[in-house]
Amino acid sequence: MNMKGKTTDVHLGIEILTPLQCGSGEELFSDRDYVAKDKQVFVVDQARSFNEVASGDHDLDVLLTGGSRLSDLVKLAGEYYGYALPMLSGLPKVPEEKFRAHLKDAFFQPYIAGSALKGAIGTALIAEHLRSNPESYPPSLPGKDPGASKPKPKYAAKKLLDELLGKEPKQNIFRALHVKDAMFKPDQLRLVDIRWLNLTGRTDNLNAQWRSMSKRQSLSRWRDADGIYAEMLNPGSTASFQLQWDEFLLSEVKQWSNSKKNILPGNFDDLKTRLNNHASYRLQQEIDFYHRYGAVAPELECKKMLNRLKQDPNSIYIQLSWGSGWCGITGDWLSPEAVAQMRELYNLGKPNMPFPKTRRLAVSGEPKLPLGWVRLYLYAQSEDRQDRIEPAQNQNDDQNHPTERTLEAELENFLKNLPEQDWDTRLLQELDKKRWPGEEGKQVAEKIKQLMINADKWHPEFKGTNKQKLKYKERSLRVSEYLNE
């Protein structure tokens, strides 16, 4: 951290905690933008491929006008130019049609735009300010003023922001905060299978099911409900960027007197405290949501993240970009009363249903990873490699916070020599032996439940006389006991 004239610069590292996409707004299409290579996606650098073909004996004009496919171009180029895109789950998969693209520069380097980081920081700071200062809410919501016409959803937050930050851009205190882009490497991208957890049923009997995006219906088994594919930054990826406070702008006291200068903390420590307060609030809200509707796997992921936050006093935790949802972007600015009024005003969601009632989850073994969570930490360079980014704290993080991957590796090793039809039975036997206590036990129980659902063995409410299904019912109830501990 150093002062340079009228600015304060903080060099930060960023670690991806859950799959994150800073979207480019583009979609990449099969055999137009990508091809299959070794049973996985390979995104083709078409410019380099074209140049390679053109520099050889082939007539590029004939190739382009002859109906050739991208795979033909790659074959003629004689080499794959571009980058491989493995699945997050580790399984071989090539989408038949398309997937959402991550933001990249001309050299295929993915990055998180500084504007996306700044937007997430601003949203969290405003939300934290409003929770701490409820009197800051405007006296009436947009459209509730006498004689007001029906408001447009595009401007739903305008009045609130005008009250807090001023009506003109020059009055906005966040002008004094500058955030640079965070550049990553192409091999830090993964192809991620995204599924929609969706609440269905009546208000007094809601169920969490999986929304099929093609069939437009909700199904009980997530494998039956297709989602979408997206190119995202892989958990564990790291980069660096700069955060800068403009001390000259902040010193203009009169400029900010009417725009709540205290919304923007003036240093890293204060920023860390407020952003982590908001992250704790958001994670607890998500834990409560998943617990209420029996979604054990994502509930455990959020609990792990909240525990990590509480044990890591030197870092900032924040959610950003695509997939953070309505609550992550707008909803947590509002009190429950204001949310109810906004829903009525803008016709948000179905009456008498929770809002929002869907969550996007990345598949890692099963749909469980919330999207877009990152950790920010003071940047430190290793002595032996100046280009290597390392967290300033928590070097033994893997020992302090055992990851899901460690448990999954143990389960994979345990099951690899067993018939698949016996997996649920053998895992339950080990669970009964207390092999996996506490939170790990719940994760194993959730895996058993998914195995039983996929094999049509999950029948906790069976009321017939079929002996086999009665055995499945007994097993289902035993697994449920572990899930509800």
Side-chain angles (χ1 to χ4, degrees), residues 89-91 365 404-419 423 427 435-436 444 447 451:
S89 62
L91 300 174
E404 184 69 15
R405 290 195 183 105
T406 303
L407 177 59
E408 286 181 351
E410 181 184 351
L411 294 179
E412 183 178 350
N413 185 60
F414 175 73
L415 298 172
K416 66 181 180 181
N417 295 320
L418 297 175
W423 285 1
L427 285 174
R435 176 169 177 170
W436 297 289
V444 175
K447 184 174 183 67
L451 289 170

Side-chain angles (χ1 to χ4, degrees), residues 421-439:
Q421 64 268 23
D422 295 338
W423 285 1
D424 58 320
T425 305
R426 293 297 302 274
L427 285 174
L428 184 55
Q429 289 173 353
E430 295 299 311
L431 206 54
D432 288 338
K433 295 176 184 177
K434 307 299 181 186
R435 176 169 177 170
W436 297 289
E439 293 296 322

Side-chain angles (χ1 to χ4, degrees), residues 444-462:
V444 175
E446 179 63 26
K447 184 174 183 67
I448 297 171
K449 177 180 176 180
Q450 289 300 323
L451 289 170
M452 293 180 67
I453 289 174
N454 294 338
D456 195 24
K457 296 179 181 180
W458 185 258
H459 297 286
E461 299 178 357
F462 180 69

Side-chain angles (χ1 to χ4, degrees), residues 392-409:
Q393 303 290 335
N394 301 319
Q395 298 294 325
N396 298 319
D397 193 63
D398 286 342
Q399 289 139 0
N400 295 333
H401 306 282
T403 65
E404 184 69 15
R405 290 195 183 105
T406 303
L407 177 59
E408 286 181 351

